[in-house]
């Protein structure tokens, strides 16, 4: 299991009906549930991206702390941190969007899953000619010959 928390753990637990740790165990035991497997993969990527955002944020906060010596500030380091933060936020936004899309398009977990395809009875329409109807003449519907 991924030990990092993510902002979507509560939502996943609500949708799948179990805590995230149990969901990882369920996916390991029965990997045949593609929606759960994909959701947990996206959750793992999201948790890593959120951890990166938090690390950069904390580093910038530490560098900008009021009791910090101003001679230790580095514009280059702060520019690098800003780029790293932008990349981490873009990744987080992408994973949030992908996970949200997956969870929106997933069938409800409470709906019974059919064990075999459903077959519908198709009414068959049959027609028969009345017994007194005569067959059409051989040239019926044929174009007339043009005569000069």
């Amino acid at each position: 299991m991924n030990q990092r928390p993510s902002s979507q753990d509560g939502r996943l637990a609500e949708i799948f009906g179990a805590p995230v740790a149990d969901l990882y165990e369920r996916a390991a035991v029965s990997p045949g549930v593609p929606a759960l497997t994909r959701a947990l993969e996206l959750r793992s990527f999201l948790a890593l991206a959120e951890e990166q955002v938090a690390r950069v944020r904390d580093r910038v906060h530490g560098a900008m702390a009021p009791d910090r010596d101003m001679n230790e500030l580095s514009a280059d380091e702060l520019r690098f941190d800003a780029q790293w933060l932008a990349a981490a936020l873009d990744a987080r936004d992408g994973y949030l969007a992908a996970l949200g899309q997956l969870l929106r398009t997933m069938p409800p977990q409470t709906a019974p899953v059919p064990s075999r395809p459903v077959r519908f009875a198709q009414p068959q329409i049959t027609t028969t000619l009345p017994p007194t109807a005569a067959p059409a003449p051989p040239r019926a519907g044929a174009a007339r010959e043009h005569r000069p």
Side-chain angles (χ1 to χ4, degrees):
M1 179 196 136
N2 184 335
Q3 297 296 327
R4 294 176 181 97
S6 89
S7 61
Q8 298 300 300
D9 288 354
R11 185 172 178 205
L12 288 168
E14 180 182 320
I15 288 174
F16 288 102
V20 171
D22 294 349
L23 295 177
Y24 276 100
E25 287 178 25
R26 187 187 311 171
V29 170
S30 120
V33 183
L36 176 60
T37 302
R38 288 186 187 112
L40 291 176
E41 286 174 353
L42 286 168
R43 183 226 165 262
S44 294
F45 295 141
L46 174 64
L48 180 60
E50 288 178 341
E51 181 181 315
Q52 290 173 336
V53 169
R55 279 185 189 176
V56 176
R57 177 201 61 204
D58 294 346
R59 186 169 47 244
V60 170
H61 280 261
M64 303 302 290
D67 60 342
R68 184 92 187 246
D69 185 0
M70 285 188 185
N71 292 327
E72 294 177 7
L73 281 176
S74 167
D76 288 337
E77 286 180 19
L78 289 172
R79 260 191 298 279
F80 180 74
D81 284 337
Q83 291 171 347
W84 190 348
L85 182 62
L89 286 171
D90 285 346
R92 179 184 182 271
D93 292 346
Y95 294 133
L96 274 173
L99 183 58
Q101 179 67 23
L102 174 69
L103 296 177
R104 275 191 303 280
T105 59
M106 230 175 51
Q109 296 300 303
T110 56
V113 178
S115 59
R116 57 190 164 114
V118 177
R119 291 184 170 237
F120 294 99
Q122 296 287 333
Q124 293 183 349
I125 299 173
T126 57
T127 59
T128 57
L129 292 173
T132 59
R139 293 189 44 99
R144 294 184 139 186
E145 291 181 25
H146 290 280
R147 294 189 185 180

